[in-house]
Amino acid sequence: MGEIAETYSGGTPSVSIKKYYIGNIPFIRSAEINSKSTELFINEEALLYSSAKRVSTGDILYALYGATSGEVGRAALNGAINQAVLAILPQKKYDSEYLMQWLRKSKFKIIGTFLQGGQGNLSAEIVKNLNIDLPNKVEQEKIGNYFLNLDNLITLHQRKYFCSNNLIFTITTAWEQRKLGKFGYTYTGLSGKIKEDFGHGQARFITYNIVRDA
């Protein structure tokens, strides 16, 4: 990687100097590399007196630290990064989308190789020494565009469509997975033990066969 791209990480302006965080420069942390917004903003003075580095829309951003280690994305805004994010700027003869998709595909292999038991952090040196499979530029662009279109298709399918009384509603907020037991109440019944338990009374006894054939 280091032979085909410029790489650099940033830094964090001193949190004890409150005025550094009064500004309009999005401060992109590792959990926000795929986000269109940031929780924190800094100013030019913070950039001047810290190791924070600027990045531009479209730059490859790679998460080095913590729970997001190995995550990769393209900057969705112009901003600055801290030490937990590595910016990767490939040379012109290499396709950015291809490199980003390659890093995404290789995430679990990289983590499995360099993070023992999922613990620890990646480093700029590790990323720069990754060996990348590189076809020619034309094929890189085709492969990169293919997976970009696939990502866009997946995003569209994550927007669920509902129809009611000829009205179509599109849900565009992110869907979440939850265990059923966390937000519902479940119970089962008991079966009678002898045939005299059945055939009288007004409650209908539902068996798995009835549910299956419904």
Side-chain angles (χ1 to χ4, degrees), residues 12-15 17-23 27 40-43:
T12 300
S14 176
V15 295
I17 304 178
K18 304 299 183 183
K19 65 178 182 178
Y20 284 173
Y21 292 87
I22 303 174
F27 190 51
L40 300 177
F41 292 82
I42 61 175
N43 55 35

Side-chain angles (χ1 to χ4, degrees), residues 5 15 25 27 31 52 66 77 79 103 117 119 152-153 155 171 176 182 186 199 203-204 208:
V15 295
I25 303 171
F27 190 51
L77 36 73
L103 285 166
Q119 301 298 313
N152 292 336
L153 184 62
T155 299
I171 308 301
E176 299 179 348
K182 296 292 185 180
T186 63
R204 188 180 183 192
Y208 79 92

Side-chain angles (χ1 to χ4, degrees), residues 72-104:
V72 64
R74 304 287 292 274
L77 36 73
N78 297 321
I81 56 174
N82 67 6
Q83 66 276 8
V85 179
L86 185 73
I88 302 173
L89 284 61
Q91 299 169 12
K92 290 185 178 180
K93 59 181 178 180
Y94 300 101
D95 185 68
S96 290
E97 188 64 31
Y98 175 84
L99 290 180
M100 194 276 289
Q101 295 291 350
W102 185 91
L103 285 166
R104 179 175 290 169

Side-chain angles (χ1 to χ4, degrees), residues 105-117:
K105 175 187 72 70
S106 304
K107 174 185 174 180
F108 294 108
K109 181 180 179 181
I110 293 170
I111 289 176
T113 301
F114 297 102
L115 299 184
Q116 298 301 318

Side-chain angles (χ1 to χ4, degrees), residues 46-59:
L47 274 174
L48 182 62
Y49 292 105
S50 77
S51 299
K53 297 289 192 304
R54 285 189 180 274
V55 292
S56 301
T57 302
D59 288 349

Side-chain angles (χ1 to χ4, degrees), residues 5-204:
E6 175 190 357
T7 63
Y8 60 87
S9 58
T12 300
S14 176
V15 295
S16 64
I17 304 178
K18 304 299 183 183
K19 65 178 182 178
Y20 284 173
Y21 292 87
I22 303 174
N24 59 4
I25 303 171
F27 190 51
I28 304 168
R29 296 174 292 177
S30 58
E32 300 167 326
I33 58 174
N34 285 297
S35 179
K36 294 182 179 179
S37 62
T38 60
E39 181 181 355
L40 300 177
F41 292 82
I42 61 175
N43 55 35
E44 294 290 346
E45 188 177 2
L47 274 174
L48 182 62
Y49 292 105
S50 77
S51 299
K53 297 289 192 304
R54 285 189 180 274
V55 292
S56 301
T57 302
D59 288 349
I60 299 174
L61 302 182
Y62 192 79
L64 297 174
Y65 297 173
T68 56
S69 291
E71 291 287 335
V72 64
R74 304 287 292 274
L77 36 73
N78 297 321
I81 56 174
N82 67 6
Q83 66 276 8
V85 179
L86 185 73
I88 302 173
L89 284 61
Q91 299 169 12
K92 290 185 178 180
K93 59 181 178 180
Y94 300 101
D95 185 68
S96 290
E97 188 64 31
Y98 175 84
L99 290 180
M100 194 276 289
Q101 295 291 350
W102 185 91
L103 285 166
R104 179 175 290 169
K105 175 187 72 70
S106 304
K107 174 185 174 180
F108 294 108
K109 181 180 179 181
I110 293 170
I111 289 176
T113 301
F114 297 102
L115 299 184
Q116 298 301 318
Q119 301 298 313
N121 299 317
L122 297 172
S123 69
E125 200 62 29
I126 287 173
V127 177
K128 286 192 291 185
N129 283 297
L130 292 174
N131 292 315
I132 302 173
D133 302 312
L134 287 170
N136 62 53
K137 179 69 177 295
V138 173
E139 291 183 358
Q140 288 177 39
E141 292 173 346
K142 289 181 179 179
I143 294 170
N145 287 332
Y146 174 82
F147 283 102
L148 176 61
N149 291 333
L150 189 60
D151 287 344
N152 292 336
L153 184 62
I154 291 171
T155 299
L156 288 174
H157 279 283
Q158 287 174 338
R159 297 177 178 179
K160 303 300 182 179
Y161 292 85
F162 292 91
C163 296
S164 177
N165 297 326
N166 296 322
L167 295 176
I168 299 178
F169 299 90
T170 304
I171 308 301
T172 58
T173 54
W175 286 53
E176 299 179 348
Q177 289 187 340
R178 291 288 185 270
K179 294 184 183 298
L180 180 60
K182 296 292 185 180
F183 60 87
Y185 176 63
T186 63
Y187 61 88
T188 60
L190 294 174
S191 176
K193 295 183 179 180
I194 58 177
K195 65 180 181 179
E196 284 76 13
D197 290 336
F198 301 94
H200 53 84
Q202 297 184 4
R204 188 180 183 192

